[in-house]
Amino acid sequence: MMGLMAGKETGTTASEATETTETVETTKTAETAGTAETAGTAGTARVSPTRAWATRLVVVGIVLSAVNLRPAITSLGALLEEVRDGLGMSGSVAGLLTSVPPLCFAVFGVMAPRLARRFGPAAVVCAGMAAVTAGLLIRPYAGSTAGFLAGSALALMGIAVSNVLMPVIVKRWFPDRVGSMTGLYSMALAAGTALAAAVTVPLTDTLGGSWQTGLAVWGGLAAVAVLPWVPLVRDRGTAPAPGAETDARARAERQPPTLRITRSRTAWALAVFFGLQATAAYITMGWMAQIFRDAGVSASTAGLLLAVTMVMGVPLAFVIPRVATRLPHQGPIVIVLGVCGLAGYAGLYLAPAGGAWAWAVLLGIANCAFPLALTMVGMRARTGAGVAQLSAFAQSTGYLISIPGPLLVGVLYQHSGGWGLPIALMVGLMIPQMAVGVLAGRNRIVEDEAATTAP
């Protein structure tokens, strides 16, 4: 599969072709253990064995990292009732717990570009995966709600920086395959999300019924994701190819241009779209299993339903980015995903148990707004530096926007005693998500907008 993904995409849009033309010369080479080889004229490079080996290692690292970006959240969603009972949490505190992921993503994600410039993106992702491993091993045995939150925050800090830097790494190493590599990354992310949702409950039962063990076991999977990045730690991604660029171009790559990213309407539209889709995703991951359990569905079946929702992202996360990069406007995809979400919410309200499998599928389709948002991040900026700034802005701002959603669901659930009001909130947020997603899907480049609107 990964070998196929390394093949060249065809049929790119005009914006993707422009993006490739601007970045291919500066991203075809990378410093791998101090060695890189280029030959060339514009757009042509001779790939050395070291470079080919490093590229394959990057693909493995991207896949393994993506697999570990959501089990910290969906494994908790599957065992939320047991964790609440074990730590004595109220519904409101549990809602706060489900709001911790977007909070950490917003706070720590904004640091990622600066850390990447100083240490290199590979080193930051390597450290991020180590933090995920430590946090997942620590939090179940902390013994208190505060300790559990602290361990979760450590794991989520590692996830946050990796979230931001994955599009940057894809743009740098695979500038002419942004759609396919984003699809591979998103597909692996969805697979890890679904795996944790599906097997956490049965795995916990197999390991003796302790929710602590059921959560801690995911730390082992995260540890595996550290390994591919270790040989790439010294790759700073800043060394130009000898003779391939002018000194001025090299300096521009070393010190990314400063963009007034907040002056770009497209950047804001993408940030709000990212925030609203993240709100829906974290409400789904944190609460959907509980909605089914309250409707009379068993804990294991509820976990399986959550897994179905997550696993829908595996094929669609591969298809949607590839389709999106071939369209001049991604708005139609946004509308289709939003309509599926509205239908799923309606089903949860009217017949949560009777049509559970259908609602799980529909909400799984709606959750594929995430790989679409990642793809648009790569498409809405022309250079690797622009992608880094846009990714940090869109994700950090978006996750800030998403913080109140899961918390409000917990509060509404506790005080209303049912799921009517929380589901109404979900429906109310889907409408603006569709509207702003259409704006974010327009064929615009943030470097152009920032330049034209700056004083």
Side-chain angles (χ1 to χ4, degrees), residues 41-347:
T41 56
T44 306
R46 181 180 302 162
V47 181
S48 69
T50 302
R51 164 73 183 185
W53 172 83
T55 300
R56 287 192 289 269
L57 200 59
V58 169
V59 174
V60 173
I62 288 173
V63 171
L64 288 178
S65 297
V67 167
N68 283 280
L69 292 181
R70 293 298 180 269
I73 302 166
T74 51
S75 62
L76 176 59
L79 294 174
L80 184 59
E81 186 171 310
E82 287 74 13
V83 174
R84 286 176 58 188
D85 293 341
L87 297 178
M89 292 183 188
S90 66
S92 297
V93 173
L96 176 63
L97 184 61
T98 57
S99 293
V100 168
L103 174 62
C104 290
F105 292 168
V107 171
F108 297 116
V110 75
M111 301 162 51
R114 181 177 298 178
L115 292 172
R117 285 195 297 270
R118 181 171 182 180
F119 301 106
V124 177
V125 173
C126 183
M129 289 297 104
V132 174
T133 303
L136 292 181
L137 293 175
I138 290 170
R139 72 174 183 177
Y141 303 105
S144 66
T145 298
F148 191 92
L149 287 170
S152 296
L154 177 60
L156 294 167
M157 176 181 67
I159 294 173
V161 295
S162 301
N163 269 337
V164 171
L165 294 180
M166 282 295 116
V168 177
I169 289 172
V170 167
K171 183 79 169 184
R172 187 172 89 77
W173 284 85
F174 311 97
D176 54 345
R177 297 184 292 277
V178 171
S180 59
M181 290 307 300
T182 300
L184 177 63
Y185 155 67
S186 301
M187 187 169 61
L189 188 150
T193 305
L195 179 68
V199 309
T200 295
V201 172
L203 187 61
T204 300
D205 294 338
T206 301
L207 296 175
S210 169
W211 62 265
Q212 288 95 337
T213 305
L215 292 182
V217 71
W218 296 104
L221 182 62
V224 177
V226 177
L227 303 179
W229 298 107
V230 174
L232 299 167
V233 162
R234 296 182 62 188
D235 173 33
R236 302 300 177 91
T238 56
E245 304 172 43
T246 64
D247 290 341
R249 186 71 172 268
R251 286 194 297 271
E253 284 298 303
R254 291 191 190 101
Q255 297 197 355
T258 300
L259 297 177
R260 292 178 179 269
I261 200 74
T262 56
R263 300 292 186 91
S264 169
R265 294 180 180 180
T266 298
W268 276 108
L270 191 51
V272 176
F273 176 68
F274 199 99
L276 292 175
Q277 68 80 27
T279 300
Y282 287 108
I283 289 174
T284 299
M285 286 186 281
W287 291 106
M288 196 180 82
Q290 191 64 50
I291 293 175
F292 286 130
R293 291 178 73 168
D294 287 353
V297 177
S298 68
S300 58
T301 302
L304 209 54
L305 286 165
L306 179 59
V308 168
T309 298
M310 300 299 111
V311 82
M312 289 302 299
V314 176
L316 292 178
F318 176 71
V319 173
I320 287 176
R322 293 174 65 88
V323 173
T325 56
R326 287 161 170 76
L327 294 177
H329 195 308
Q330 289 74 48
I333 304 177
V334 171
I335 297 299
V336 170
L337 298 180
V339 169
C340 289
L342 292 174
Y345 293 142

